Amino acid sequence: MIGKTRRKRMRFVAAVLATGSLFATALPAQAETGVSSSEIKLGITLPLTGAASPGYNKIGDAMNAYFKYVNDNGGVYGRKITLIQKNDEYSPQLSIAKTNELILKDKVFALVGPLGTANFTAVHKSVGLARRGVPSLFLNTGFSGFANKKAYPTSFTILPSYAMEAKIASQFLKENFAGKKLGLVYQNDEFGIDALGAFKAAGVKFDVSIPYTSGTQSAATAQTWVSQLAAGGAQVVVFFGVTSATAPLLAVAAGAKYAPQWILGSVGSDPLTLRALGVPVAVLNGALTLSGNPSPNDTSDEYVKFFQEINTKYNKAAFDDYVLQGMNLGLMTVQALRAAGQNLTRKGLIRAMETKGSTFASVAYSPLGYSKTSNVGHTGYYMAVMDATGDRKPYGGSVVVYTTDSGSGPVVKSTFKRPALPAKGLPTNS
């Protein structure tokens, strides 16, 4: 027989356990890092100051301007987006430190638009983004190595790879400049080397090839580049570097009256930024460049017109390629957050990118490659030419987009039709 005292004690314990179980089921699930009922915190690292800052220092503010517009129109399922920007000065070590701050101190939900090939390579390894399960959306770099889904399971690129760009440029060179002496100036890290490998694979041989170390670009180094290009007789010069390196190269070449046919990579060719850095419009006239987006001056384009309106109200920066790209990153981010659903989790965001990302609206003309097996963003470029006003126009008069992969796949003319801008620029993902 169990004593009365013992029976009472057992009934009391059972009651306490039952009550505790009741409270446990009533409590909400623990919120995801960086997400509350009213806010989503996102983070970005980029060079707000330093040698590589011209142009790039506008991207975060442009993204934020679009987020402010979305916040003023109800946010994402009622949550407002907060974007935290960190200045890494285009330094991998600073980028590591600032990314750690974003994740450990600011406790952001995800990274969006982190900039720089060498920077993100260092960050991914040192910070352990994959191990921590931190989504890194729309990497602002075209390094083809980031397409390795196994190595970068939580990361998604936005730009076509530098290898894709070089393959498309290679075909253009063969079709239009056969027999000409070719020169190449490239940033000597994963950025430029990625392109270099694709040029070699395509069978394009450069008569003059000049690598430069990131951060060393200046009028003095440009003097050396121009001397080497001129001495080698380069008639067509391809440039793969950032805008702060393009500008002294073009300016010094103009001063030396060295005028090859310039083919500028997509990264360092924004006309407005080049002009702000002292490059005369006359020097830009006739320069060719690979482009993914329409000209930021093309107000006949519905995306450009809308983003200009957002910029006027929320940002007030000089509208150029960098502002256009930043606005588009904001649009893409909101679509990804909405696609992840109201119960926002990091795993859900990654799943949304894999299953719905290829359908997102974007200002760029080429298709998106996101899938369960691919974290690749846009996949192609068209050739553009700068005119006497410094504006960028489609080469040949109309946009002809070519797409390819980062490997041995062919370069093909695209038949892709870009999705329309969502009504009022506010994605519904319907």
Side-chain angles (χ1 to χ4, degrees), residues 90 117 143 162 187 189-195 212 240-242 267:
Y90 208 55
T117 300
F143 177 50
Y162 303 130
Q187 187 166 295
D189 55 19
E190 292 91 340
F191 171 16
I193 293 171
D194 205 19
Y212 78 92
F240 264 78
V242 295
V267 170

Side-chain angles (χ1 to χ4, degrees), residues 117 121 142-149 151-152 157 161 163 190 194 375 406:
T117 300
T121 301
F143 177 50
S144 62
F146 296 144
N148 185 332
K149 185 74 171 170
Y152 299 92
T157 65
S161 74
E190 292 91 340
D194 205 19
N375 55 6
S406 297

Side-chain angles (χ1 to χ4, degrees), residues 72 107 122 124 137 184 224 235 277 394 403 413:
D72 284 350
K107 299 190 181 302
H124 189 271
L137 305 190
L184 174 68
T224 303
Q235 298 165 290
L277 292 171
T403 60
K413 188 182 293 186

Side-chain angles (χ1 to χ4, degrees), residues 288-342:
L288 299 171
T289 176
L290 289 110
S291 301
N293 299 339
S295 163
N297 300 317
D298 184 6
T299 52
S300 68
D301 185 278
E302 62 175 346
Y303 283 87
V304 173
K305 184 175 184 294
F306 168 71
F307 288 142
Q308 283 190 1
E309 291 169 357
I310 297 299
N311 184 62
T312 298
K313 183 174 181 179
Y314 292 92
N315 196 32
K316 295 181 172 58
F319 195 83
D320 59 12
D321 280 322
Y322 297 98
V323 176
L324 178 63
Q325 179 71 352
M327 295 274 182
N328 194 57
L329 289 174
L331 172 67
M332 300 278 286
T333 299
V334 169
Q335 290 175 91
L337 293 172
R338 286 190 59 85
Q342 297 190 45

Side-chain angles (χ1 to χ4, degrees), residues 43-50 52-53 55-63 83-91 94-95 98-99 102 112-116 119 123 140 322 326 329:
I44 180 174
T45 55
L46 71 172
L48 298 176
T49 61
S53 64
Y56 291 130
N57 55 7
K58 295 181 177 182
I59 290 176
D61 286 345
M63 288 176 64
L83 179 67
I84 303 171
Q85 300 185 55
K86 299 282 185 179
N87 181 16
D88 63 13
E89 300 179 26
Y90 208 55
S91 158
L94 265 179
S95 194
K98 298 302 180 181
T99 303
L102 287 170
V112 290
L115 191 141
N119 287 9
V123 164
N140 225 326
Y322 297 98
L329 289 174

